[in-house]
Amino acid sequence: MTWQQIYDPFGNMIISTALAAIPVVVMLAALGFFHIKAHIAAGLGLIAALLVAVFAYGMPADMAGRAALYGGFTGLLPIGWIVLNIIFLHQLTEQNGSFKVLQDSLSGITGDRRIQLLLIAFSFGAFFEGAAGFGTPVAVTAAILIGLGFSPLAASGLSLIANTAPVAFGALGTPVITLAKVHGYDLMEVTAMVGRQLPFFSLLVPFWLIWAFAGRKGMWEIWPAILVTGVAFAVPQYLVSNFIGPELVDIIAAIVSMASLVAFLRVWKPKTVWTSPSLRGRDISAAEAKPPQPVTQHSRAALVAAWMPWIILSVFVFIWGLPPVKAWLNSLFAPAFPMAGLHNLIEKVPPVVPTPTKEGAVYTLNLLSATGTAILLSAVVSAFFMKYHPVAIARTFFKTVWLVRFSLLTIVLMLALGTLTRYSGTDTTLGLAFANTGVFYPFFGTLMGWLGVALTGSDTASNVLFGGMQKVAAEQLGLSPNLMGAANSSGGVMGKMIDAQSIVVASTATRWFNHEGDILRYVFFHSIALACLVGLYVTLQAYVWPFHLMVVH
């Protein structure tokens, strides 16, 4: 029997919205205010979501349970699989000693912590966002930063802040491609529109990142390096998105940004070298930061060997992200399992969609094409390159599984919660609350994208969730549908730093277990402030700079 979603079950949007928000409030309050461990907080949020879905929204209990189970499977693959294998690779390089050589090589480029952040957290992270997405950049950059001696809160929080501007074009443009495919946008037009929103923030975020770490004075001391990093990313981001397409935006922009910064450092040096590894001001993890170590000079062969695992990782992840490779791997093995009792048995209804639309629920076991598998293979290849014995490789892998067991459980529970809110319609209720804002819709519609990513952990999922609603609302209000579709994705990127799965990935990569609430409290202001700035920018595009809406490709 088909069940139709109800978005205002009490005939009063204030009451319905308050009820829909309960699971999110429970989870965030448990994490941020009551210092409850992440997997327990996620479990409490999931229980609240089940109660709201069944007793307030009338969702059949068996459907609610199956939706949560479906989300849990998604948490294991692809998200948990990425986290497990990137930590596995990191463990191998640490045990082997090559990670220390890598740290020394990065410190050899610059001993200034601020510039290390620009190079690793922003530019290098953007490359991994473009190639893989789905938690990979935060896992990689946070692991490198903690290895360089940054405090756990600095490594976690700053990796999350840096991983914002590239997210809309992450995983070879998946969020924008999905937005166009699912909701009928013109791909090049909506890609170009995102490419006229995010470059401004690609220029702003590096300044914001260093200000968050070192304060205003520390930021202005290296403004030339920050400007080079931001401009070298923002200009290719605009050009590629407007004239080529979404697939290679981040990869090209990241390579240009890294190369430009390294070249600039050959002719410019900061007057003072910032060596503090902790956040300026209050950093509760400062005592856990490693003291600055003298930089050891290594031979060219040692440097090549230290960088080789990460080069191998980059190559594998890039190849795995190519659509023809992914399609070929899926043709070999990618069994699909429709969720009995859920698949095509739930209908979305107007005003979210023009006509009642069935919600599919098919779990695809795409183990071969998953990004985590590329990371696993790169780790194994790297292990042999580092002369590990097969038994030692297996021992390290199972040691890693035990190390991240609670993080994997948290991710499973978080994805179960997010998927349940999608199928029960409670997240749509929250979205509709934003839609009822009239002339302020460009601002609040952008925040809808932010909310979508904060809830689901994915810009792609947020675009699937709210992309159609943005299009309908924009047409009703006489706004450009492409503007608001793009705003959903651009606003969503700022929610990436507070979504639960990203915070768990960061805490796992830095081994700062059970401190997810501390990370959330630190990044929350940065997330909402940047999201509001995106909303203001989109409002200016809508009402002040209409020429900005013209397609130029």
Side-chain angles (χ1 to χ4, degrees), residues 146 151-158 279 282-285 512 518-519 522:
I146 200 72
S151 73
L153 182 56
S156 303
L158 297 172
L279 296 169
R282 185 172 180 269
D283 185 340
I284 62 172
S285 67
W512 206 37
D518 296 314
I519 299 171
Y522 172 68

Side-chain angles (χ1 to χ4, degrees), residues 184-208:
Y185 290 88
D186 181 278
L187 178 59
M188 277 305 299
E189 289 187 10
V190 77
T191 297
M193 189 60 67
V194 174
R196 291 178 214 152
Q197 293 169 348
L198 284 183
F200 174 77
F201 294 92
S202 297
L203 185 59
L204 173 64
V205 166
F207 282 95
W208 194 288

Side-chain angles (χ1 to χ4, degrees), residues 321-381:
L322 296 173
V325 174
K326 197 172 284 290
W328 177 68
L329 290 169
N330 283 333
S331 71
L332 297 178
F333 180 82
F337 302 97
M339 287 293 294
L342 183 66
H343 177 56
N344 286 338
L345 294 179
I346 294 177
E347 281 187 342
K348 282 189 173 298
V349 297
V352 183
V353 287
T355 57
T357 305
K358 294 185 184 299
E359 281 276 31
V362 179
Y363 181 72
T364 303
L365 188 63
N366 56 336
L367 188 61
L368 291 182
S369 66
T371 302
T373 302
I375 299 171
L376 174 63
L377 290 175
S378 69
V380 173
V381 170

Side-chain angles (χ1 to χ4, degrees), residues 232-248:
F233 190 91
V235 172
Q237 187 182 44
Y238 168 77
L239 292 174
V240 177
S241 61
N242 274 261
F243 299 102
I244 298 177
E247 291 86 357
L248 296 176

